[in-house]
Amino acid sequence: HVEFEADTWVNAFNVTLQVAKSCRQFAECYGISARDLFFAMRGTLRKLQHTVSLMAEENCSFIVHNAQIRGYLPTNTGNTVNSSSDANDAMQLGPSMHMLSTLWGKQYEVVQFDVSTSPVSFHHPLHWFMAELCQHVKHLANNLVRDYGFATLRDMVFSAFDARLDASLEPLADSTKSAKASRDDSVGSDRNAPIRNLYSMDPDSAVQAQREILRILDYPVRVCVVMAQIRAGMWVRNGYVIRSQAHHYREVSLRENTYDQDIVLIQFFASIWPDTDHILMTLLDRFGLYDWFSGRPHASRVYDTLHTQYMVEEFLNLLIVLVAERH
């Protein structure tokens, strides 16, 4: 419960507006050359992997608490997160996954996170930049992806975390084009013969890559969930500030650079995922509706009956947007 309405969020959103516009303009630079887009997407995914691995958002209580102990922050201001000096009040969290099972018995590994009790930020500029890059993916046609040595766009994206591949990708593309030209000039050659063996991820590497991408994707999903909770009236004790942030995040002047980018990123990864039910289970888990859709409507420890109805509506609305919205 807040004792007064702070307006510091206004400054943060003013900065966000400028940063989001810069992300969009910068990403436009990669919308001309397929080669530049190819390497930009792979490099951005690796940078996102590193950023997410720091878990600064999830561990903000731990970070602030230790800053107060070390004297970097005063303990008598609004920055105080824990009133106790016990370090156990702000334990550092690590990445955590858990298994969920469908009604027909198939299991999926998803990120373990509770939006209702854990810190969530609206501001993820690197994710917005990645989403803007994804909007230029039409330049990465199947033949170009194969020129760089990958069987599919999925293999190209999922293998992005192995930076060692990048050093050999461009020479492969050049040699492949030369081989194409030589083959086309040859009389009586088989034009349908494969040029070279294409890179395809082994199952273990694919599973590890899925874990990394799920952790990256979880941030825009969390934003969608927390906005749904705000609209459902679950954060009224946080005052008008939290409602104002959710409103401005989706308003006309910001949404094409913020909320719409979250939607694009979820759509892109869902479109290349081997099993889209995996993404659906992630959404169910993050919305806190897994039990409700599993036939246990009263199992939630967070939502009351009214909140549950609102959250189900918001969840179904998000699914409609993901399926129908085009950018």
Side-chain angles (χ1 to χ4, degrees), residues 57-119:
E57 183 172 311
E58 295 87 339
N59 285 306
C60 67
S61 295
F62 174 82
I63 293 169
V64 172
H65 182 78
N66 280 274
Q68 292 168 349
I69 292 177
R70 295 171 183 268
Y72 299 137
L73 286 176
T75 58
N76 58 345
T77 67
N79 292 323
T80 303
V81 174
N82 297 288
S83 58
S84 171
S85 60
D86 186 1
N88 291 326
D89 289 347
M91 296 295 293
Q92 185 173 12
L93 303 176
S96 180
M97 310 287 287
H98 68 137
M99 302 297 295
L100 294 179
S101 178
T102 63
L103 292 177
W104 52 91
K106 190 168 183 178
Q107 291 191 325
Y108 295 96
E109 187 181 38
V110 300
V111 176
Q112 189 169 19
F113 188 85
D114 185 2
V115 173
S116 303
T117 59
S118 303

Side-chain angles (χ1 to χ4, degrees), residues 97 109 158 201-214 273-274 278:
M97 310 287 287
E109 187 181 38
F158 280 24
M201 299 189 71
D202 62 85
D204 292 338
S205 299
V207 169
Q208 181 58 36
Q210 288 181 28
R211 290 195 188 103
E212 298 295 343
I213 294 178
L214 283 175
W273 209 262
H278 200 167

Side-chain angles (χ1 to χ4, degrees), residues 194-206:
I195 297 173
R196 56 178 298 275
N197 293 325
L198 300 178
Y199 177 84
S200 183
M201 299 189 71
D202 62 85
D204 292 338
S205 299

Side-chain angles (χ1 to χ4, degrees), residues 39 147-148 163-175 196:
F39 287 104
D147 285 346
Y148 278 92
R164 296 171 298 177
L165 285 174
D166 286 14
S168 58
L169 288 179
E170 198 155 21
L172 284 176
D174 294 338
S175 62
R196 56 178 298 275

Side-chain angles (χ1 to χ4, degrees), residues 35-53:
R35 172 196 172 277
D36 293 341
L37 177 63
F38 181 88
F39 287 104
M41 290 182 67
R42 290 176 61 84
T44 304
L45 281 170
R46 288 196 294 273
K47 182 59 67 174
L48 278 167
Q49 178 194 31
H50 172 72
T51 303
V52 169
S53 68

Side-chain angles (χ1 to χ4, degrees), residues 138-210:
K138 60 182 180 290
H139 296 300
L140 296 179
N142 289 333
N143 59 336
L144 187 140
V145 172
R146 288 193 291 268
D147 285 346
Y148 278 92
F150 295 100
T152 63
L153 178 63
R154 178 194 304 157
D155 290 322
M156 185 275 283
V157 172
F158 280 24
S159 66
F161 306 112
D162 187 357
R164 296 171 298 177
L165 285 174
D166 286 14
S168 58
L169 288 179
E170 198 155 21
L172 284 176
D174 294 338
S175 62
T176 303
K177 292 176 183 177
S178 299
K180 270 187 175 180
S182 301
R183 185 185 61 180
D184 291 342
D185 292 339
S186 300
V187 179
S189 62
D190 183 4
R191 293 177 180 272
N192 295 320
I195 297 173
R196 56 178 298 275
N197 293 325
L198 300 178
Y199 177 84
S200 183
M201 299 189 71
D202 62 85
D204 292 338
S205 299
V207 169
Q208 181 58 36
Q210 288 181 28

